[in-house]
Amino acid sequence: AFIAEGKYWVNNHAHVIRPHRDKILDNWKVYFLNVNDLSKYITGLTVQKLNQGKLREIEIPLPPLAEQKQILKILDEIFAKTAKAKENVERNLQNAKELFKSYLQSVFANSGKNWAKRKVDEICEIAYGYTEKARNDGDYRFVRITDTDEDGLLTKEREMYVKSFSEAKKYVLTDGDLLMARTGASAGNLLLFEGDEKAVFASYLIRMKFKKEILSKLYWYFSKSKLYWDQVRQLSAGSAQPQFNGGALKQIVFPFPKSRPKQKSIISRLDALSAETRKLEAIYKQKLAALEELKKSVLKKAFSGNL
């Protein structure tokens, strides 16, 4: 629920509530509707809705207007402080992310004399995935474009499978393989496949296998940098739909240390910083959740007369 200011067109999926302002204040009603569980008034299984009849059944505690004003004043003060705290936490969360991005960019943008710059086509074999309809069970985990989590790793949710097929060996994934999304909103994003799960990859993904002198995880980190995404945007410019195909991928220029020990050293530092960043993100997200719970708790106390 929210208070509409100005002119609105309202379709039949919304309710317009005009309260009796001599009995209830707008914010009192909005706060109540937004904090309370209204599930018992919801009907429908496939398409859930709150119809007008059920809406009329909702009971709102109604102290005198003077008391409503007093409680709303307290709530506004508390929520102003909560909003400020939330703003600070969100800023700290963004700063943690930017710190990692800044370091990541500096690693690849300031390459030294013992580094090489090569197009992907020179150092990597690429292959398109297998076209098949995913199912709930089968012989192979079917890795799809939607199976990449926010960190660029394989999600453990919504696992789908395919049955064994004659060319399966051609599409089987091994530890360290990279999978790039070639179409849609995630075009250009990379998934690092780790472990020995029996899996094949779907057709909207491109598998990348680097030559043995290059550690694939270093390219995975490179794919998170501004240097990488500047190239992706330039190479995919003019596409009607978001896409980044194999031809464009081959043109990406990848800077990397010639020495594998140096590559390992960089990966170790990035792993450590990434882990610390995720730890900070988890702390900040917990704080944001706690602030939301605090807001709900205060509202519940207000409407139960315990504020």
Side-chain angles (χ1 to χ4, degrees):
F2 67 97
I3 298 173
E5 297 180 359
K7 294 182 179 180
Y8 278 80
W9 288 99
V10 180
N11 65 22
N12 60 355
H13 294 294
H15 294 293
V16 176
I17 304 173
R18 295 189 175 93
H20 298 292
R21 290 190 171 84
D22 58 336
K23 296 180 180 179
I24 184 171
L25 298 173
D26 287 347
N27 276 340
W28 184 266
K29 173 195 60 186
V30 169
Y31 277 146
F32 178 83
L33 292 175
N34 286 341
V35 74
N36 282 276
D37 181 9
L38 304 178
S39 58
K40 67 179 181 179
Y41 301 103
I42 304 297
T43 61
L45 296 175
T46 304
V47 179
Q48 295 186 326
K49 60 182 179 179
L50 174 62
N51 61 38
Q52 193 172 109
K54 290 294 183 181
L55 178 64
R56 292 177 184 276
E57 294 178 11
I58 298 174
E59 295 182 355
I60 302 178
L62 208 59
L65 283 177
E67 189 173 340
Q68 291 180 44
K69 288 179 181 179
Q70 183 180 3
I71 293 173
L72 287 173
K73 182 180 178 181
I74 295 172
L75 289 176
D76 288 342
E77 291 174 355
I78 292 173
F79 292 160
K81 293 178 181 178
T82 303
K84 185 64 176 178
K86 184 178 179 181
E87 181 183 330
N88 290 336
V89 172
E90 288 176 337
R91 185 183 302 113
N92 289 336
L93 175 58
Q94 186 61 32
N95 287 341
K97 292 180 178 179
E98 289 301 324
L99 177 63
F100 178 74
K101 289 180 181 178
S102 176
Y103 179 74
L104 187 66
Q105 177 69 8
S106 69
V107 167
F108 295 103
N110 301 317
S111 56
K113 63 179 181 180
N114 293 319
W115 285 53
K117 292 183 179 180
R118 299 284 186 273
K119 288 185 178 181
V120 166
D121 191 35
E122 301 175 62
I123 54 177
C124 180
E125 293 181 0
I126 68 171
Y128 285 83
Y130 177 59
T131 302
E132 182 56 277
K133 185 176 181 181
R135 47 188 297 146
N136 293 324
D137 53 49
D139 302 299
Y140 294 93
R141 167 85 187 266
F142 197 39
V143 180
R144 301 155 298 157
I145 201 168
T146 55
D147 288 336
T148 307
D149 68 15
E150 61 181 9
D151 295 319
L153 298 172
L154 184 63
T155 179
K156 298 300 181 182
E157 301 174 355
R158 306 180 304 276
E159 295 184 9
M160 300 297 285
Y161 300 85
V162 292
K163 287 187 175 183
S164 183
F165 54 103
S166 60
E167 293 185 301
K169 187 177 180 180
K170 178 180 175 182
Y171 301 99
V172 168
L173 295 169
T174 58
D175 184 47
D177 281 352
L178 297 178
L179 296 172
M180 191 198 76
R182 64 183 179 89
T183 189
S186 57
N189 287 346
L190 255 72
L191 181 157
L192 173 63
F193 184 83
E194 296 180 304
D196 57 1
E197 183 176 7
K198 193 176 178 182
V200 296
F201 62 107
S203 58
Y204 287 115
L205 293 167
I206 297 176
R207 181 179 59 197
M208 304 177 67
K209 280 185 176 291
F210 283 89
K211 293 182 177 180
K212 63 180 181 179
E213 62 265 27
I214 299 172
L215 298 174
S216 61
K217 193 171 186 179
L218 187 66
Y219 186 90
W220 178 69
Y221 272 123
F222 170 66
S223 75
K224 299 173 182 289
S225 71
K226 181 177 181 296
L227 187 60
Y228 169 80
W229 282 101
D230 284 347
Q231 294 186 70
V232 170
R233 282 188 284 271
Q234 183 178 4
L235 290 166
S236 60
S239 300
Q241 296 293 330
Q243 59 178 332
F244 193 65
N245 61 27
L249 171 61
K250 290 178 180 180
Q251 300 305 309
I252 290 286
V253 176
F254 174 41
F256 60 92
K258 297 176 183 177
S259 162
R260 276 178 65 96
K262 178 64 174 177
Q263 293 177 35
K264 288 181 179 179
S265 175
I266 292 174
I267 290 170
S268 293
R269 293 202 305 271
L270 289 172
D271 281 346
L273 184 56
S274 178
E276 186 62 28
T277 301
R278 286 197 300 271
K279 188 186 299 181
L280 287 173
E281 287 179 5
I283 292 171
Y284 293 139
K285 286 177 181 178
Q286 286 176 356
K287 288 183 177 181
L288 289 173
L291 288 170
E292 284 300 311
E293 287 302 314
L294 174 62
K295 185 175 179 178
K296 291 178 182 179
S297 175
V298 169
L299 284 168
K300 287 180 180 179
K301 287 182 179 180
F303 290 109
S304 61
N306 296 319
L307 189 62

